[in-house]
Amino acid sequence: MEARAPADGANLDSKLWETLPTELLERVLSKLPFPSLVKFRAVSKKWNAMIISPNLAPRTPEPKSVLLHLRDYYEGNFSGTLDCGTSCLSILNSRTNRWEDRALPWSWCSYRLVASDGGLFCFSGNENSEDFVVCNVLTKQQKFLSLPAPLLPPLPQGASFSRPHEYMLTGMVVNSGHYKLVVAGMHVAGSRTTLLYDSATCTWKASAPVPRLRSQIEGGDWVGDERSVVCNGKLYWYVAEVNGGYTIVKAVLQFDLQNETWSKAQESREAYCMWHFQIALYKHNVMLVHLNHDDDWPLQCEEWPGKAELLGLGPEMRSMPPEMFRAIKEKQKANGRAYCGEYYGIGHGDFFYHVMRGVRPGLRIAVEDLRTNTYSLLPFWEDGSSSLSRSEREIWAFSPSLHAFV
């Protein structure tokens, strides 16, 4: 039935909404676009509880993915009076096509972003890597967690790891509003324990240990990429054995969350190249991408010596297609920017984000729509502060969620 506008001079009684049955009101709200739901949370406590409730979640369409920019600080190089909530976090508003600052209800300059899924983010402490915060940046809800057991080896008093998160694998999977957090140690002298947190029961438990990777480099050290990829209920991490130079051995670790089992794929020999690889999702496949900093960026990862072992991790493992970056490279050259400097890619749903940093301080991001094979450029994010670090992994893609509970 077609809705009719009220007659001239007639106003809808605001009390009408208060008398509507809850079931009918939920049906009305489920028809609204996602930005309207966010706005109408401020109507009343009743509406807010209803909009973020699990009852409305199955009826609400999934919002498009958006980008979050995290500005990280050099250690000890920021003012203690700085408002970290508004100064470190920016979100791209898809309607205005502008970067907008966002505040969090807690000061998190002492934390780093280590995992994300289903609208939730997980931060880990820079100084104490055993402390975690799970946060929904949309609802401003957060939960502080601590590991029930240390994952890094004990150190003499006063000693510390320069980058402890390289020796910890962190991943998150959100399902039906609840999440599971996976934190595992991979230091050669550590416990290699896997700890699982289930938000549905608010409990930690120990699971299968991380498999050992054989050392092939004299003086080598296995370190992780700090960012996981979620595909078909499994978590993937790229790790590498490095010796401080360009000699590396690549490996991929997989954790099956349902069966709580680990699998690994490791190169059978050394590879003489830069160690900057990353693991990324592309068209629902898991791939290793070679991040080379030259005019031929990014190069396809050289043939994996243990290709059968790599593909044995699952049918979702794929070699990077040579044409993957052809169009974006041509677009860059057409804009007079054949050399892009640093590069990395982020896959999320039907989109792949090409993040580039050149001589000019800031980030250029090109969005590849995997459904239409088209590209668009986002507004340049300019870094005007000399006190900010040059972290390579500042951009995260996520789907805003009102129904992911911390």
Side-chain angles (χ1 to χ4, degrees):
M1 182 174 63
E2 185 179 355
R4 296 181 179 179
D8 292 341
N11 294 319
L12 288 176
D13 188 354
S14 59
K15 295 183 179 180
L16 174 64
W17 293 101
E18 299 177 5
T19 59
L20 281 178
T22 301
E23 208 173 287
L24 181 57
L25 185 54
E26 286 179 348
R27 291 183 61 184
V28 173
L29 292 174
S30 68
K31 305 296 182 182
L32 296 177
F34 186 78
S36 297
L37 286 177
V38 177
K39 179 181 179 181
F40 290 147
R41 287 180 58 208
V43 171
S44 66
K45 291 183 178 180
K46 176 184 177 181
W47 278 44
N48 178 60
M50 191 177 303
I51 288 172
I52 67 174
S53 71
N55 296 332
L56 196 62
R59 309 178 192 177
T60 308
E62 187 74 15
K64 293 182 178 180
S65 63
V66 297
L67 294 179
L68 175 144
H69 183 271
L70 174 67
R71 282 169 274 182
D72 195 11
Y73 284 81
Y74 285 119
E75 183 178 357
N77 192 24
F78 60 88
S79 170
T81 60
L82 185 66
D83 184 357
C84 298
T86 58
S87 301
C88 301
L89 187 68
S90 300
I91 294 180
L92 182 68
N93 188 322
S94 58
R95 291 179 295 170
T96 62
N97 207 31
R98 291 178 177 272
W99 291 97
E100 298 178 355
D101 288 340
R102 289 290 186 271
L104 290 175
W106 48 282
S107 177
W108 53 278
C109 280
S110 57
Y111 289 81
R112 65 183 300 117
L113 186 54
V114 292
S116 174
D117 188 48
L120 295 182
F121 290 94
C122 180
F123 298 84
S124 179
N126 279 324
E127 296 183 1
N128 189 353
S129 57
E130 298 175 3
D131 292 338
F132 289 85
V133 185
V134 178
C135 178
N136 186 325
V137 298
L138 202 60
T139 63
K140 304 294 181 67
Q141 296 170 312
Q142 73 280 331
K143 186 178 183 65
F144 292 84
L145 302 170
S146 294
L147 297 182
L151 295 179
L152 296 178
L155 294 173
Q157 186 176 3
S160 64
F161 289 102
S162 59
R163 298 188 67 180
H165 297 91
E166 288 187 342
Y167 302 97
M168 294 173 62
L169 305 174
T170 307
M172 172 185 289
V173 176
V174 177
N175 186 19
S176 301
H178 297 285
Y179 64 91
K180 289 188 178 181
L181 179 64
V182 180
V183 187
M186 60 172 294
H187 195 279
V188 64
S191 64
R192 308 188 72 84
T193 302
T194 301
L195 298 173
L196 302 180
Y197 179 82
D198 189 338
S199 69
T201 59
C202 298
T203 57
W204 288 94
K205 77 171 183 176
S207 186
V210 178
R212 292 194 175 274
L213 297 164
R214 60 185 181 276
S215 176
Q216 300 182 49
I217 302 178
E218 184 177 355
D221 194 15
W222 281 102
V223 293
D225 190 39
E226 303 183 21
R227 184 181 294 210
S228 61
V229 164
V230 182
C231 185
N232 297 330
K234 300 175 183 177
L235 288 159
Y236 296 82
W237 290 267
Y238 165 64
V239 298
E241 186 180 22
V242 298
N243 64 354
Y246 295 135
T247 303
I248 69 167
V249 176
K250 299 186 292 294
V252 175
L253 292 172
Q254 176 201 82
F255 184 72
D256 187 324
L257 194 57
Q258 181 177 356
N259 299 315
E260 297 185 19
T261 56
W262 284 93
S263 301
K264 64 177 181 178
Q266 179 182 343
E267 281 189 311
S268 57
R269 60 174 173 81
E270 298 176 6
Y272 293 88
C273 55
M274 297 184 71
W275 106 275
H276 286 290
F277 287 74
Q278 74 162 114
I279 197 167
L281 285 177
Y282 187 76
K283 295 185 177 180
H284 308 289
N285 293 322
V286 182
M287 296 184 306
L288 270 183
V289 181
H290 184 182
L291 314 180
N292 203 13
H293 297 192
D294 57 25
D295 290 339
D296 295 323
W297 65 270
L299 298 179
Q300 182 174 354
C301 178
E302 65 179 44
E303 190 71 12
W304 182 289
K307 186 175 181 180
E309 184 181 8
L310 178 67
L311 297 180
L313 290 179
E316 60 270 21
M317 298 298 301
R318 289 289 186 273
S319 299
M320 194 176 87
E323 70 279 4
M324 180 174 174
F325 301 103
R326 186 174 301 154
I328 188 63
K329 287 169 65 176
E330 292 175 356
K331 181 178 286 290
Q332 281 292 96
K333 289 181 179 180
N335 292 335
R337 294 176 57 85
Y339 173 77
C340 80
E342 299 174 0
Y343 168 92
Y344 59 95
I346 302 172
H348 193 274
D350 294 321
F351 298 92
F352 194 87
Y353 300 93
H354 304 261
V355 184
M356 300 158 278
R357 187 202 299 276
V359 178
R360 180 183 175 188
L363 298 172
R364 170 68 67 190
I365 303 172
V367 183
E368 179 181 357
D369 190 326
L370 305 179
R371 301 164 300 182
T372 60
N373 294 322
T374 57
Y375 297 82
S376 59
L377 289 176
L378 297 180
F380 185 77
W381 185 89
E382 188 166 5
D383 182 358
S385 173
S386 60
S387 65
L388 300 180
S389 72
R390 307 284 288 184
S391 171
E392 292 183 2
R393 304 300 166 91
E394 295 163 329
I395 298 289
W396 292 69
F398 74 106
S399 294
S401 176
L402 292 167
H403 315 293
F405 309 105
V406 300

